[in-house]
Amino acid sequence: MQEASYKIYNASAGSGKTYVLSKEYIKTILSSTHSFKQILAITFTNKAVNEMKQRIVQSLFEFSKTKSKNEASAMFLDIMKELNIDATSLQEKSKKVLKNILHNYAFFDISTIDKFTHRLIRTFAKDLKLPQNFEVVLDTSLLLDEAVSSLINKAGTNKKLTKVLLDFAIEKIDDDKSWDIAIDLNKIGKLLFNENQAKHLETLKSKSLDDFLKLKKDLLQEISKIEDGVKDVAKNTLLLIEELGFEFSDFPRATLPNHFKKITEGLFEPSKLYNNKLEQNLMDNEIVKKTISKPTEELSKQLLECYIAIKKLLYSRAFYKNAYKNLVPLTVLNAIQQEVKNIQKEKDQLSISEFNTIISNEIKNQPAPFIYERLGEKYRHYFVDEFQDTSEMQWNNLTPLMSNALESEDLSGKTGSLFLVGDAKQAIYRWRGGKAEQFLNLANNKTNPFVIPPNINNLPNNYRSYEEIIQFNNSFFTTTSPFLNNVSYKDLFIQGNKQGSSTKKGGLVSLTFLEEENSEDENYCEKVLDTIHSVKKDGYTYNDICIITRKKKHGVLIANFLMQHKIPIVSSES
């Protein structure tokens, strides 16, 4: 009976993910001497690639030297049991496979996802009308900076563009901000290289400068209309208060009439108007001093309605203002993109952030056999590590190839395989398109892009950390999970934080909250120094101690402070 071909491992921190991944990979390559040529293992960093290669080669080397069960490692015994073979057979197979890998190392395909997509694009460069020897741009900020500078230099040659840029510079000066518009254009230009924004930017491609200028005019009209409207409502509310015989001094600190007076004088920022308890007081009819007779419920209700009507309008105005503020950079976004394209064409460049979009638009829909033919090899087995950091586009681009492997048979009647491993709680690449929800949905069986159902496994124990640390993490995240609004995240942090501990007993977690007597920085530094002295007394050495800070500047601060107190440190920040 063939083992499950599609496996998902939900692996929390320290749960033996690398062990399971290496074991599954080795089981696959031992099934046939040359099967390693049909495997593509994908991870996210070059460091992880090297570690995985080293671990597999090292394991095979150890297996090839293992002659009996007595001297066998835990992985050796596990593979013996799962493949149902004896120690001698496993040793011989390992020796042959290791020799084949070393003699054909170029086919030992463990790669970052970016490197694999680069290979795909390089293969289809001619079809995509790309230069055959294009240069990959890793640092897009330099490319963007050059494009923005080129665009600004064109001011004066295009009347409409020149007017847009000049008006924007003047508006910035009026708002007491730097006139330098390059900062704002660089900021908005980053959207061009962000996979998360690709769908939204697609809708802007057809928009011209005139479309944006019309929108700008409409927004200004709407903002002006709201401002005139709220001023009228505020004036009428003040008149109503006076007509009913109330003086400003009848209200505690004259808060209510002053609120409407500020609006008539042109104060429209919600942050300055709605940072008090005025709305609640209106609802409770507690708006005048206790020595003054309360207004009727009808009047109080009328005042509350005016207050809420103005509040809604001012928040709408704030929304329009925010849209208007970002409109000019957005107006020239297409122009920035054109400048980027011109520079890339001139220098035969392609930014790494474009890879997934190009594959999605041009290559993904090609038949899988055709893609394999162009690549020069056919993968039957896929391993994806840190799946929670895979972007939606990356996953959609890989799905057709994986589907072909899972749903077709080779000459011996065996299907290919897919092995996914990840932990949604450790997703750190959302800023570059990583979508943890994909892994959540696959692991919870909510979605499945393949015909074959997955075999879902959880790795329950943490073998890396000490017992007290595991218990603290379980308790902390379970306790805080009710504060999450997203139901999926809430369930993840309740169900996903039930890790068991291994044989490592003990450990300590201590939380200290500092009083702000002196400067905050000084307090932190002093407390770190006290902690170092404390653990030194407990018999630990300096190389047992690691200090992690949230920001780089805090790392520099603590490093300098510790050096002043003769504490030896190793830090790139010092």
Side-chain angles (χ1 to χ4, degrees):
M1 183 179 172
Q2 187 178 346
E3 197 173 345
S5 57
Y6 175 22
K7 294 181 183 178
I8 297 175
Y9 271 84
N10 198 347
S12 294
S15 60
K17 174 198 71 175
T18 309
Y19 176 88
V20 172
L21 192 63
S22 301
K23 184 186 74 173
E24 291 291 331
Y25 189 100
I26 291 169
K27 278 168 59 181
T28 304
I29 59 177
L30 289 174
S31 63
S32 170
T33 311
H34 296 282
S35 63
F36 73 93
K37 294 180 181 180
Q38 297 181 318
I39 299 175
L40 175 64
I42 292 172
T43 187
F44 277 80
T45 64
N46 288 319
K47 184 173 182 284
V49 166
N50 293 331
E51 285 174 356
M52 191 173 173
K53 281 187 172 182
Q54 189 177 4
R55 178 150 189 167
I56 288 163
V57 170
Q58 182 65 35
S59 297
L60 287 170
F61 177 74
E62 287 173 5
F63 291 1
S64 69
K65 300 291 182 185
T66 304
K67 294 179 181 178
S68 68
K69 275 184 168 184
N70 297 332
E71 56 188 55
S73 64
M75 188 184 289
F76 187 95
L77 296 172
D78 282 346
I79 292 174
M80 265 182 63
K81 183 181 177 182
E82 290 174 31
L83 292 181
N84 195 24
I85 57 175
D86 57 43
T88 306
S89 299
L90 182 51
Q91 183 207 12
E92 289 300 320
K93 278 176 177 278
S94 300
K95 194 182 291 184
K96 284 180 185 176
V97 170
L98 179 60
K99 184 180 177 181
N100 268 302
I101 288 176
L102 295 177
H103 286 187
N104 302 275
Y105 200 75
F107 293 97
F108 186 32
D109 221 340
I110 298 174
S111 164
T112 64
I113 196 161
D114 287 331
K115 187 176 179 182
F116 178 66
T117 53
H118 177 225
R119 267 178 62 201
L120 267 179
I121 289 174
R122 188 75 74 180
T123 302
F124 285 88
K126 189 176 179 181
D127 307 68
L128 299 170
K129 295 181 175 59
L130 296 171
Q132 196 63 42
N133 297 310
F134 63 80
E135 176 195 348
V136 179
V137 178
L138 298 176
D139 187 358
T140 53
S141 60
L142 294 174
L143 176 61
L144 182 59
D145 194 47
E146 189 178 347
V148 168
S149 298
S150 176
L151 182 70
I152 292 172
N153 287 337
K154 286 184 178 178
T157 59
N158 181 317
K159 284 186 179 180
K160 284 182 182 176
L161 179 64
T162 304
K163 187 177 186 315
V164 166
L165 296 178
L166 277 174
D167 287 349
F168 186 44
I170 291 165
E171 282 174 13
K172 288 193 70 183
I173 293 167
D174 290 343
D175 289 341
D176 293 327
K177 293 177 181 176
S178 167
W179 59 269
D180 186 0
I181 60 173
I183 299 167
D184 301 82
L185 298 185
N186 267 293
K187 187 178 178 183
I188 202 79
K190 288 177 182 176
L191 295 175
L192 296 171
F193 304 102
N194 189 328
E195 191 182 306
N196 291 337
Q197 310 301 331
K199 288 180 182 176
H200 306 296
L201 292 176
E202 194 63 35
T203 61
L204 296 178
K205 277 188 178 178
S206 59
K207 304 299 178 187
S208 66
L209 205 58
D210 289 328
D211 293 324
F212 282 103
L213 290 174
K214 184 181 181 304
L215 178 59
K216 181 182 176 183
K217 184 181 175 183
D218 291 344
L219 281 172
L220 282 173
Q221 286 177 350
E222 193 61 34
I223 289 167
S224 179
K225 183 180 170 185
I226 289 174
E227 289 175 355
D228 291 340
V230 294
K231 277 184 180 180
D232 287 342
V233 176
K235 282 176 186 174
N236 291 333
T237 307
L238 288 172
L239 283 173
L240 177 65
I241 291 170
E242 287 176 12
E243 285 170 4
L244 292 168
F246 287 103
E247 301 285 339
F248 279 21
S249 57
D250 293 338
F251 300 88
R253 295 189 297 278
T255 304
L256 182 66
N258 277 337
H259 171 81
F260 293 109
K261 188 168 181 283
K262 286 174 187 175
I263 294 168
T264 62
E265 293 170 352
L267 180 64
F268 303 121
E269 283 74 31
S271 60
K272 294 178 181 178
L273 290 168
Y274 301 107
N275 56 357
N276 51 43
K277 295 180 179 180
L278 193 51
E279 186 173 346
Q280 186 59 49
N281 291 341
L282 279 165
M283 291 169 75
D284 297 337
N285 198 8
E286 299 287 345
I287 54 175
V288 294
K289 291 178 179 177
K290 291 183 179 178
T291 54
I292 308 295
S293 298
K294 279 188 179 184
T296 62
E297 280 190 23
E298 187 180 343
L299 172 61
S300 186
K301 185 182 177 183
Q302 201 173 347
L303 290 172
L304 179 61
E305 285 173 356
C306 293
Y307 178 92
I308 289 173
I310 290 174
K311 184 179 179 181
K312 284 180 179 177
L313 286 169
L314 288 182
Y315 272 103
S316 295
R317 176 194 173 275
F319 173 75
Y320 292 135
K321 263 287 190 183
N322 193 44
Y324 180 81
K325 184 178 70 175
N326 291 291
L327 192 60
V328 173
L330 208 57
T331 302
V332 295
L333 192 61
N334 283 345
I336 296 172
Q337 188 170 29
Q338 192 55 53
E339 290 300 322
V340 168
K341 294 293 179 190
N342 291 341
I343 293 166
Q344 287 181 313
K345 189 175 180 180
E346 184 185 326
K347 297 183 177 181
D348 288 347
Q349 292 179 337
L350 200 65
S351 70
I352 196 168
S353 57
E354 294 175 83
F355 285 4
N356 294 316
T357 307
I358 290 171
I359 291 173
S360 180
N361 294 339
E362 309 290 345
I363 302 172
K364 183 186 74 173
N365 295 323
Q366 298 289 345
F370 175 65
I371 297 173
Y372 284 136
E373 183 185 334
R374 295 293 294 274
L375 277 173
E377 50 209 332
K378 183 171 184 178
Y379 298 112
R380 299 289 300 157
H381 308 281
Y382 289 87
F383 291 80
V384 183
D385 190 15
E386 305 293 359
F387 184 82
Q388 74 277 356
D389 291 322
T390 308
S391 76
E392 190 170 7
M393 207 173 278
Q394 285 171 336
W395 177 233
N396 290 338
N397 290 344
L398 288 170
T399 299
L401 295 177
M402 293 171 172
S403 180
N404 178 267
L406 285 172
E407 294 160 16
S408 63
E409 295 182 347
D410 59 17
L411 293 174
S412 59
K414 291 182 178 179
T415 60
S417 64
L418 172 61
F419 184 89
L420 306 177
V421 60
D423 177 18
K425 300 189 298 299
Q426 295 184 62
I428 59 170
Y429 282 99
R430 192 178 291 272
W431 57 274
R432 55 158 283 181
K435 195 171 183 182
E437 289 83 354
Q438 284 182 148
F439 184 72
L440 266 179
N441 291 336
L442 287 170
N444 294 332
N445 243 332
K446 288 183 180 178
T447 59
N448 181 17
F450 310 112
V451 174
I452 296 166
N455 181 308
I456 300 168
N457 304 275
N458 290 304
L459 299 178
N461 293 327
N462 185 326
Y463 299 97
R464 184 188 302 158
S465 305
Y466 283 82
E467 187 177 41
E468 291 298 326
I469 295 168
I470 296 167
Q471 287 182 3
F472 170 80
N473 283 336
N474 288 345
S475 301
F476 178 81
F477 288 108
T478 303
T479 304
T480 54
S481 60
F483 296 104
L484 296 169
N485 293 322
N486 187 303
V487 177
S488 297
Y489 296 167
K490 193 181 291 185
D491 292 342
L492 169 69
F493 278 89
I494 292 172
Q495 300 303 323
N497 285 287
K498 295 180 179 178
Q499 275 195 302
S501 56
S502 58
T503 54
K504 292 184 176 180
K505 303 297 179 185
L508 172 69
V509 177
S510 174
L511 300 179
T512 306
F513 300 92
L514 304 178
E515 297 290 336
E516 291 187 32
E517 295 173 359
N518 305 314
S519 79
E520 186 179 322
D521 289 342
E522 189 180 330
N523 278 355
Y524 277 116
C525 291
E526 292 285 355
K527 188 61 187 174
V528 168
L529 184 61
D530 290 346
T531 305
I532 290 171
H533 290 321
S534 174
V535 296
K536 281 278 288 175
K537 286 178 184 175
D538 291 337
Y540 294 97
T541 60
Y542 287 125
N543 63 1
D544 292 323
I545 302 168
C546 175
I547 300 166
I548 300 171
T549 60
R550 184 165 182 81
K551 294 183 179 177
K552 189 174 182 178
K553 65 177 184 179
H554 295 144
V556 174
L557 185 78
I558 290 175
N560 291 336
F561 181 84
L562 294 178
M563 284 193 292
Q564 288 170 11
H565 288 79
K566 312 298 181 191
I567 303 292
I569 66 163
V570 178
S571 171
S572 60
E573 316 299 348
S574 58

